[in-house]
Amino acid sequence: MSDDTTDETSEVSLSVSMLGNQSAMDKAAETTQLDERRIATDVGRGIVPPYNPETLAAFQELNETHQACVRMKSRYEVGYGFDIVPHSQSNEPDPGDEAYQSVEGFWRGSDSRWQVGPEGTAASTPEEVLELARQDYHGVGWTSIEILTEGDGTPVGLAHVPSVTTRVRKTTTETEGGEEVEAAGHGYVQIRQGRRRYFGEAGDRYGDDPTFVGKKTGEVVHGDASKLPDGDEPANELIFIPNPSPLSLYYGIPDWVAAMQTMAADQAAKEWNHDVFDNLGIPYYAIKVKGGTLTEDSKDELRELMDNLKGSRYRTALLEVDEFEFENENPLQEGDASNVEIELEPIGSREDLDMEFEKFRTRNEHEIAKVHEVPPIMIGVTDTSNRSNSESQVQEFAEGVIAPEQAKFEARLYKILHQTALDVDDWTIEFELRGASRPMEEARVARTKIQAVRGSIPVNRGLEMVGEDPLP
């Protein structure tokens, strides 16, 4: 499990060497693009992300529209559950075979473990773990999911690891032309309150040449876990999924970073509005004195009056003038001191400001939802919606935004958990897609469910599965 353990950082630069010598056939299966030569890193703590993940996560506390969009997308992607279905490349596999039982046992078995925190926190469900992971994906830029295993490496569940605490490692020292350089490291490291916990990469321990990472030391060994230093043990592996961006090689960048300034401006508007209400809606005033100059005592009394005006219906201030305009122009001239005028004049119109404030915040809300690709109706904005376009908005959101993300996440989990860890090729998972019209897909899922129980199902339940009305 992950430790409930933020880190002190110091930046250094490092170099990265190219991949070592491999056979021509091996090279053909690998990308030949160049790695970054110099990468900012925390010493022994992994590569520094392009944006501070804690700052990115804090935006969800500051902006309600952003928070609603992140949660809405995560819930629609994985929060409504999933079905175990045949893989598209399989040939009508039998739901009663051992492969199906293996997958079913992992996801829904009585011994499966699902946690949203470190050891000792309450047990959870697959949907809760995956939904938190997707919130990290959209809010911070990458997902971190720990694979829980038995002693022989058989996976028995998943645990959410906060992505604000995980870093990609870049630590292996090599020699190149007499110069020490830093080559691509292996695995990941979680840092909390100065403590570290290392993780391997998902799939490391499976295959003909397994790789193990020391949980305490971060040492990397191949072939046999017994090669780890004394007192160390193999680390669990991490499913690390970045939100791809051309601006970052090792981490993802969330889609909403383009709206960071909009969120900051919206927060400033909320603080200004709070200040207005905190002062009972009293606008800013200018004090105009015509025909003379106030005494210093009168200025102090006036400042105190204005500072304490809030909450008082009636206040009185006696103001004195010690210099008259007619005396300054000609000291010998006689004049009338009663011509002195003192005016309290509000600056600007409250009605105009209220209107501009409302328009400004509405525009900000629209811009934030737009960068998330979430339609207005999904975040409770109904002034431009009716029954017809509301259904259309939800369907476009489901099919154009949610479905592609589900497909990518399903493929990742299938490759890592089903194929690599469980050695099952014929069965994958399919997340429920709310709001879309997909009759062919729904019929296929219904067929799989009926096959799984070998047809032993009430007629009305079968009709319900295929979208038909029950018999009278």
Side-chain angles (χ1 to χ4, degrees):
M1 285 298 299
S2 59
D3 260 356
D4 191 13
T5 60
T6 43
D7 52 302
E8 301 173 2
T9 62
S10 58
E11 292 191 355
V12 298
S13 61
L14 55 89
S15 300
V16 180
S17 67
M18 294 303 296
L19 298 172
N21 292 328
Q22 297 175 313
S23 69
M25 292 301 293
D26 288 340
K27 285 185 177 181
E30 298 286 343
T31 176
T32 58
Q33 63 181 303
L34 293 172
D35 199 353
E36 293 186 54
R37 187 70 183 172
R38 300 267 173 194
I39 303 171
T41 182
D42 297 336
V43 177
R45 293 174 170 86
I47 301 170
V48 176
Y51 295 91
N52 186 329
E54 293 183 353
T55 301
L56 294 177
F59 271 89
Q60 295 182 53
E61 298 179 354
L62 297 177
N63 191 275
E64 58 272 28
T65 304
H66 171 53
Q67 166 76 344
C69 289
V70 169
R71 293 182 64 88
M72 183 66 66
K73 292 168 73 174
S74 303
R75 185 177 301 116
Y76 262 69
E77 287 168 358
V78 300
Y80 293 116
F82 57 87
D83 294 301
I84 300 172
V85 300
H87 189 265
S88 59
Q89 301 298 317
S90 63
N91 185 21
E92 296 189 0
D94 181 6
D97 62 16
E98 184 178 347
Y100 180 88
Q101 300 304 320
S102 177
V103 173
E104 175 78 12
F106 170 76
W107 288 108
R108 296 172 178 149
S110 59
D111 295 330
S112 297
R113 297 183 59 196
W114 309 94
Q115 294 193 228
V116 294
E119 194 72 41
T121 55
S124 185
T125 65
E127 289 80 7
E128 288 175 319
V129 172
L130 297 178
E131 188 171 337
L132 273 178
R134 296 304 293 180
Q135 288 183 31
D136 277 350
Y137 182 87
H138 295 298
V140 178
W142 60 91
T143 285
S144 305
I145 307 174
E146 181 181 6
I147 304 175
L148 308 180
T149 63
E150 294 179 340
D152 61 354
T154 302
V156 293
L158 301 174
H160 169 255
V161 181
S163 291
V164 295
T165 67
T166 57
R167 301 291 184 271
V168 179
R169 294 182 65 196
K170 210 65 166 167
T171 56
T172 307
T173 303
E174 295 182 355
T175 302
E176 182 180 291
E179 176 188 4
E180 284 195 350
V181 297
E182 296 292 331
H186 193 83
Y188 310 95
V189 58
Q190 181 193 30
I191 307 162
R192 270 189 164 174
Q193 300 168 347
R195 295 186 292 170
R196 306 179 197 173
R197 176 57 49 87
Y198 295 94
F199 293 91
E201 297 180 8
D204 274 353
R205 65 180 64 199
Y206 307 100
D208 297 332
D209 185 24
T211 300
F212 299 93
V213 175
K215 180 170 67 174
K216 299 177 181 178
T217 64
E219 291 287 332
V220 180
V221 299
H222 300 277
D224 192 345
S226 63
K227 298 177 182 179
L228 290 171
D230 293 339
D232 204 355
E233 56 183 310
N236 283 349
E237 297 173 358
L238 207 64
I239 300 175
F240 188 90
I241 305 175
N243 187 352
S245 170
L247 304 178
S248 178
L249 184 58
Y250 293 100
Y251 295 94
I253 296 180
D255 301 329
W256 58 268
V257 292
M260 291 177 70
Q261 290 184 337
T262 302
M263 294 185 195
D266 194 63
Q267 178 65 16
K270 288 191 292 185
E271 293 175 355
W272 179 85
N273 195 46
H274 178 273
D275 183 62
V276 171
F277 281 103
D278 195 45
N279 288 277
L280 302 182
I282 298 172
Y284 298 104
Y285 282 86
I287 310 299
K288 293 183 178 181
V289 180
K290 298 179 180 180
T293 303
L294 294 178
T295 64
E296 290 301 322
D297 289 342
S298 293
K299 292 178 182 178
D300 292 340
E301 186 174 355
L302 187 58
R303 291 189 185 99
E304 183 180 357
L305 171 67
M306 300 305 295
D307 289 341
N308 296 282
L309 191 59
K310 179 182 68 172
S312 300
R313 294 187 178 182
Y314 306 104
R315 295 294 299 274
T316 301
L318 300 177
L319 306 178
E320 298 179 359
V321 176
D322 59 357
E323 294 183 16
F324 297 96
E325 186 176 344
F326 64 84
E327 291 179 345
N328 291 334
E329 294 175 354
N330 184 355
L332 300 179
Q333 179 182 350
E334 293 184 2
D336 186 359
S338 65
N339 290 332
V340 176
E341 297 179 4
I342 300 177
E343 297 180 3
L344 195 64
E345 184 175 322
I347 301 176
S349 168
R350 280 293 315 155
E351 290 77 10
D352 292 342
L353 290 175
D354 288 341
M355 186 178 299
E356 289 301 318
F357 175 82
E358 183 178 353
K359 290 181 179 179
F360 181 70
R361 292 219 59 205
T362 300
R363 185 168 62 250
N364 289 342
E365 182 178 59
H366 173 75
E367 292 298 322
I368 295 167
K370 181 174 69 175
V371 80
H372 274 291
E373 299 181 279
V374 175
I377 189 65
M378 303 298 295
I379 55 174
V381 179
T382 59
D383 53 348
T384 60
S385 302
N386 54 46
R387 181 183 298 272
S388 176
N389 64 24
S390 294
E391 293 178 354
S392 176
Q393 286 181 41
V394 174
Q395 184 171 339
E396 289 178 5
F397 173 68
E399 296 180 352
V401 178
I402 299 301
E405 293 294 337
Q406 287 181 329
K408 290 185 289 185
F409 197 40
E410 291 163 357
R412 290 266 196 172
L413 297 178
Y414 167 73
K415 178 67 176 179
I416 295 171
L417 295 174
H418 293 200
Q419 283 193 305
T420 303
L422 296 173
D423 195 25
V424 173
D425 294 331
D426 289 341
W427 298 95
T428 185
I429 63 171
E430 184 174 80
F431 293 107
E432 181 174 340
L433 181 61
R434 291 283 179 95
S437 178
R438 307 170 76 185
M440 293 296 295
E441 197 70 22
E442 293 168 1
R444 185 175 64 81
V445 172
R447 177 188 177 189
T448 302
K449 288 181 178 180
I450 294 173
Q451 286 179 336
V453 295
R454 300 184 182 277
S456 302
I457 188 171
V459 173
N460 283 344
R461 176 59 178 154
L463 290 172
E464 180 184 348
M465 284 183 174
V466 296
E468 299 292 337
D469 294 331
L471 295 175

